[in-house]
Amino acid sequence: MNIDREHITLTAGCKVNLYLDITGVRENGYHDLLTLFVPLPEPADTLTVDLGPGTGIRIDCGNQALCGEDNTIARAYRAFAQATGFAPAAAVHLEKRIPTGAGLGGGSSDAACLLRLLNDRAGNMALDAQKLNALAAGIGADVPFFLQDSPAWATGIGERLTPTALDLKGFTLLLLCPRVHVSTVWAYRAWDAAHPGGRPGEKGAEYLTCGTSAGKCFPCSHFLLHNSFEGVVFGSFPELRIFKERLLRNGAAGAVLSGSGASLCGLFRQHTDAAHAADEFRRDNIPAFIHSF
Ligand SMILES: C[C@@](CO)(OP(=O)(O)O)[C@H](O)COP(=O)(O)OP(=O)(O)OC[C@H]1O[C@@H](n2ccc(N)nc2=O)[C@H](O)[C@@H]1O
Ligand SMILES: Nc1ncnc2c1ncn2[C@@H]1O[C@H](COP(=O)(O)OP(=O)(O)O)[C@@H](O)[C@H]1O
């Protein structure tokens, strides 16, 4: 298939998990989850892609450690080529802004970006949604989520998605990205060690608290913030627990670790409270991003 030269710039946003329950462990060591993925526009990576005749992928980015064969973008390219035979020459410049090891799915988002581009350009070699989703899940459990752009509940290892409307109108989300790297593999292994036999513990679900009283409150009473990783991650990174407590002291109606961490989300009813809290964390050199629903 002849492919014209093309220069494309793609934006890869991130995700947070406002709910994450580990519901079981599979024979192969992967974990079954019930999680709520919420896409966020920033922080975001930028992929500048030059497609053209020839074959093979080349990646350059500021962080040499991310330019090798193990980069999720390279893995996505190889998986797509193997599945479809569509393998144009691709030179990718990756501008990383999503912190790694942050629980924001940066690597997965980059991979999904390239998969969507290749599938859009593959013509009659393109994969249908189901096949593309399955291929994505083989690259990373979070990659299927980034193939679509809606909040979604997920089960399985995170690849069985049910898009959902978020009733968070009026809330402001403050995303904190402490300069701490938490390895996803480490976090799952730590959870396994704390839950021998893979028995999920009691859901430590916390309800968004009203300004005046804790516990359930309308309209958020049916909205749970929970993350099974908090016990083990806060145990090894106590500073993250402190950041969560600071979010609540600064007026967050609820706060929760995102994914395997280290990022944390605070949900505020008052935008001004979120903005003041963001300024305070930034004064402490902690990157903070605000998103209004
Ligand atoms: C924890 C979560 C929550 O959304 O996200 P992050 O915190 O990484 O953003 C995900 O489950 C991470 O998804 P992702 O980062 O794509 O994981 P993968 O690359 O597929 O797997 C990395 C390793 O994590 C473990 N893993 C991943 C997913 C899962 N459901 N069970 C697992 O046990 C496996 O040991 C696997 O080898
Ligand atoms: N394109 C990529 N962007 C970020 N990390 C990548 C990428 N490709 C491979 N990786 C590796 O994947 C690991 C997990 O990165 P990332 O998905 O951003 O974190 P998290 O799993 O916490 O969401 C990184 O530590 C890095 O070694």
Side-chain angles (χ1 to χ4, degrees), residues 72 107-109 111-112 115 133 135-137 139-148:
T72 53
S108 301
S109 184
L115 282 181
N133 217 58
L135 185 137
I139 297 160
D142 281 357
V143 180
F145 165 71
F146 286 106
L147 289 177
Q148 44 102 67

Side-chain angles (χ1 to χ4, degrees), residues 118-208:
L118 291 174
N119 209 47
D120 285 350
R121 298 296 188 277
N124 60 11
M125 293 183 271
L127 298 174
D128 64 28
Q130 192 177 3
K131 288 197 178 106
L132 189 62
N133 217 58
L135 185 137
I139 297 160
D142 281 357
V143 180
F145 165 71
F146 286 106
L147 289 177
Q148 44 102 67
D149 52 9
S150 145
W153 282 98
T155 55
I157 64 168
E159 87 290 2
R160 284 191 224 131
L161 299 164
T162 306
T164 180
L166 264 191
D167 59 352
L168 281 173
K169 191 162 172 41
F171 279 89
T172 300
L173 186 146
L174 170 53
L175 173 64
L176 290 187
C177 298
R179 298 178 199 278
V180 174
H181 182 117
V182 179
S183 151
T184 300
V185 174
W186 170 85
Y188 274 114
R189 286 189 185 143
W191 187 90
D192 290 339
H195 299 84
R199 272 189 309 283
E202 272 309 300
K203 267 204 296 292
E206 298 163 53
Y207 294 98
L208 290 172

Side-chain angles (χ1 to χ4, degrees), residues 15-17 20 24-26 28-33 35 37 72 75 101-108 136-144 146 156-159 182-189 192 227 229 258-262:
K15 61 84 186 163
V16 290
N17 304 69
L20 190 159
V25 190
R26 297 183 174 187
N28 68 359
Y30 267 75
H31 296 72
D32 281 297
L33 306 177
T35 189
F37 283 119
T72 53
R75 287 167 45 208
L104 298 177
S108 301
I139 297 160
D142 281 357
V143 180
F146 286 106
I157 64 168
E159 87 290 2
V182 179
S183 151
T184 300
V185 174
W186 170 85
Y188 274 114
R189 286 189 185 143
D192 290 339
N227 188 327
F229 282 113
S258 176
S260 53

Side-chain angles (χ1 to χ4, degrees), residues 69-289:
E69 291 301 290
D70 275 353
N71 189 302
T72 53
I73 298 170
R75 287 167 45 208
Y77 176 89
R78 290 196 301 273
F80 193 82
Q82 189 170 8
T84 64
F86 182 64
V92 180
H93 174 71
L94 172 62
E95 196 78 38
K96 276 308 290 184
R97 289 186 207 83
I98 301 173
T100 59
L104 298 177
S108 301
S109 184
D110 296 343
C113 244
L114 187 75
L115 282 181
R116 274 204 309 263
L117 173 66
L118 291 174
N119 209 47
D120 285 350
R121 298 296 188 277
N124 60 11
M125 293 183 271
L127 298 174
D128 64 28
Q130 192 177 3
K131 288 197 178 106
L132 189 62
N133 217 58
L135 185 137
I139 297 160
D142 281 357
V143 180
F145 165 71
F146 286 106
L147 289 177
Q148 44 102 67
D149 52 9
S150 145
W153 282 98
T155 55
I157 64 168
E159 87 290 2
R160 284 191 224 131
L161 299 164
T162 306
T164 180
L166 264 191
D167 59 352
L168 281 173
K169 191 162 172 41
F171 279 89
T172 300
L173 186 146
L174 170 53
L175 173 64
L176 290 187
C177 298
R179 298 178 199 278
V180 174
H181 182 117
V182 179
S183 151
T184 300
V185 174
W186 170 85
Y188 274 114
R189 286 189 185 143
W191 187 90
D192 290 339
H195 299 84
R199 272 189 309 283
E202 272 309 300
K203 267 204 296 292
E206 298 163 53
Y207 294 98
L208 290 172
T209 53
C210 296
T212 50
S213 67
K216 285 191 177 185
C217 58
F218 187 81
C220 58
S221 55
H222 54 297
F223 196 94
L224 294 176
L225 297 178
H226 163 71
N227 188 327
S228 295
F229 282 113
E230 285 193 355
V232 289
V233 172
F234 288 171
S236 292
F237 301 90
E239 67 273 34
L240 301 182
R241 184 199 307 278
I242 292 168
F243 291 145
K244 172 173 174 175
E245 288 162 358
R246 272 179 66 182
L247 283 167
L248 293 168
R249 275 204 312 277
N250 277 274
V256 71
L257 186 76
S258 176
S260 53
S263 296
L264 294 132
C265 303
L267 278 176
F268 291 77
R269 292 181 180 291
Q270 302 302 328
H271 183 85
T272 48
D273 290 347
H276 290 151
D279 290 343
E280 183 184 301
F281 283 106
R282 287 172 185 141
R283 278 195 296 275
D284 292 345
N285 192 28
I286 297 161
F289 301 85

Side-chain angles (χ1 to χ4, degrees), residues 58-70:
R58 188 168 41 80
I59 300 172
D60 78 272
C61 75
N63 174 350
Q64 274 312 309
L66 285 185
C67 293
E69 291 301 290
D70 275 353

